[in-house]
Amino acid sequence: MKAFNNIFFRHLADLPRPAGAPDRTALPIAGDDAGAKARATELLDLLGYDVVDAGPLAEGRRFEPGTPAYGIPYAAEASPRFTELPAGPASAAEIAKLLEAARR
C-alpha cells in the first residue's frame, strides 16, 4: 500500500477540507489489496482528502520524486522549490491528469 508519500508534510497539514468543499485536495494511493485501499480511502476522507486510485502498487512509481504528481501540485505555485511555498489545493481531476502524464 502506498499513500502520503507525494505531498510535503507542511502542505499535508494545511490542505485538509471537509467532504464536498470546492477546494478539497486529492492524494493518490496505490496497492494490491482492495481492502487496504478501501481503509486508506476511509482514512484519507476522515483526514480531509479525496483519493485518486492509481491502481496496483507497481503504479506507485507514477507519484514518486521527479514525477508530475510529486510535491509541486500541492504548492501555491508550480515550482521545483515547492517546499518553500505555501500550500495550494490540487483537485482529484488534476492529480488524475498528472498520474496519467507519468504513465507515458
Side-chain angles (χ1 to χ4, degrees):
M1 184 73 222
K2 185 173 184 176
F4 294 110
N5 80 300
N6 73 316
I7 185 169
F8 183 53
F9 74 97
R10 288 192 180 108
H11 296 164
L12 182 68
D14 291 342
L15 291 172
R17 301 290 187 275
D23 62 345
R24 185 152 154 141
T25 289
L27 294 172
I29 63 170
D32 296 332
D33 182 307
K37 286 168 80 171
R39 287 189 297 280
T41 298
E42 290 172 11
L43 174 62
L44 284 165
D45 182 52
L46 285 170
L47 294 174
Y49 287 91
D50 287 336
V51 168
V52 176
D53 188 341
L57 189 56
E59 294 299 316
R61 66 175 178 71
R62 294 191 289 145
F63 52 102
E64 291 181 349
T67 64
Y70 185 86
I72 294 172
Y74 305 104
E77 63 184 71
S79 170
R81 298 174 60 177
F82 64 88
T83 61
E84 300 170 18
L85 299 170
S91 70
E94 179 183 353
I95 297 303
K97 182 179 174 183
L98 295 172
L99 291 172
E100 185 58 33
R103 186 183 299 273
R104 298 179 191 124

